[in-house]
């Protein structure tokens, strides 16, 4: 069976059952529900997802190339299952709690105003990524490349300098505790 090629289409308030398997290019998905769906093998190129629910969707060999996610609910996604070729996306105002990015290369990825609570970035390449006003409570950074990554406006992160590559990464003074707590030292916030 030949897969579909869909170009320049807009999908609003659609359910996963209305989205056929195939390659989507320059498409917009607004308020669509993909919760618990199987997006394995789908290709999304230059697409935009606005206000969609992709929570717990299966992403085995799913391609996200130059995709924008805005105000989406994306809980528990396993980005490590995605097709790595050309993987690139921008996230704004999204909830990605408990998502897994294990060993994923996401150089220059922009995370803006998003919640990444307990997300797993173990062994990721996040070099030159930007985390703008993101909540990183409980997020795991272990053997992660964070070189030139910008965390200056984000908060609640816990990053062990001895377990991650941090050369030229940017942090704010107000959140420096997130780098030092692993050393079991006391920091006087009043002095």
């Amino acid at each position: 069976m030949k897969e579909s090629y869909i170009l320049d289409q807009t999908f609003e308030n659609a359910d996963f059952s209305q989205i056929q398997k195939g390659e989507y290019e320059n498409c917009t998905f607004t308020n669509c529900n993909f919760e618990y769906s199987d997006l394995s093998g789908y290709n999304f190129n230059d697409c935009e997802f606005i206000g969609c629910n992709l929570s717990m969707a299966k992403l085995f060999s799913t391609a996200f190339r130059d995709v924008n996610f805005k105000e989406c609910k994306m809980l528990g996604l396993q980005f490590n299952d995605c097709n790595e070729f050309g993987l690139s996306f921008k996230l704004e105002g999204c909830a990605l709690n408990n998502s897994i990015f294990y060993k994923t290369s996401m150089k220059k990825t922009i995370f803006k105003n998003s919640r990444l609570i307990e997300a797993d970035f173990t062994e990721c390449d996040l070099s030159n990524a930007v985390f703008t006003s993101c909540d990183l409570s409980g997020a795991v950074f272990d053997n992660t490349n964070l070189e030139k990554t910008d965390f200056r406006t984000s908060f609640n992160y816990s990053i062990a300098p001895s377990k991650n590559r941090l050369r030229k990464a940017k942090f704010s003074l107000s959140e420096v505790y997130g780098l030092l707590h692993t050393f079991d030292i006391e920091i006087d916030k009043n002095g």
Side-chain angles (χ1 to χ4, degrees):
M1 184 173 148
K2 189 175 181 236
E3 288 188 5
S4 301
Y5 177 75
I6 298 92
L7 177 66
D8 298 328
Q9 296 290 314
T10 299
F11 300 87
E12 291 186 50
N13 302 309
D15 191 75
F16 172 68
S17 62
Q18 299 167 296
I19 308 295
Q20 56 192 345
K21 189 170 185 174
E23 183 168 353
Y24 292 82
E25 186 164 346
N26 201 35
C27 293
T28 301
F29 300 87
T30 305
N31 297 321
C32 295
N33 185 18
F34 299 100
E35 187 174 27
Y36 291 102
S37 59
D38 188 351
L39 295 173
S40 297
Y42 282 66
N43 292 312
F44 299 99
N45 304 308
D46 295 306
C47 291
E48 188 168 39
F49 291 81
I50 304 166
C52 295
N53 184 357
L54 293 100
S55 296
M56 302 303 291
K58 290 181 184 174
L59 301 177
F60 185 72
S61 292
T62 304
F64 291 117
R65 298 182 183 108
D66 295 316
V67 173
N68 289 326
F69 295 98
K70 292 183 181 175
E71 305 296 330
C72 290
K73 187 176 177 184
M74 305 168 72
L75 308 177
L77 294 181
Q78 294 190 11
F79 287 94
N80 55 312
D81 288 341
C82 288
N83 181 338
E84 287 187 39
F85 181 74
L87 181 68
S88 62
F89 47 82
K90 178 181 175 184
L91 300 133
E92 183 175 346
C94 295
L96 292 124
N97 302 354
N98 301 103
S99 289
I100 299 171
F101 298 92
Y102 178 69
K103 287 190 174 183
T104 304
S105 179
M106 297 180 299
K107 296 176 183 178
K108 299 182 182 178
T109 299
I110 296 173
F111 298 87
K112 187 174 182 182
N113 301 323
S114 294
R115 289 186 320 278
L116 294 141
I117 297 168
E118 297 186 10
D120 186 353
F121 293 103
T122 300
E123 296 185 33
C124 285
D125 185 348
L126 286 165
S127 56
N128 293 290
V130 178
F131 289 85
T132 303
S133 300
C134 291
D135 185 351
L136 293 159
S137 300
V140 177
F141 296 94
D142 188 12
N143 200 26
T144 305
N145 183 353
L146 299 170
E147 292 180 352
K148 298 182 182 176
T149 300
D150 190 342
F151 289 98
R152 288 179 294 181
T153 60
S154 289
F155 47 93
N156 296 330
Y157 51 79
S158 176
I159 301 170
S162 59
K163 293 183 178 182
N164 296 283
R165 292 169 48 193
L166 296 173
R167 197 166 130 319
K168 299 202 180 214
K170 298 173 185 162
F171 300 92
S172 69
L173 185 58
S174 63
E175 290 292 322
V176 76
Y177 180 76
L179 293 172
L180 300 174
H181 84 282
T182 58
F183 295 113
D184 196 23
I185 58 176
E186 290 184 30
I187 299 170
D188 184 355
K189 293 182 182 181
N190 298 321

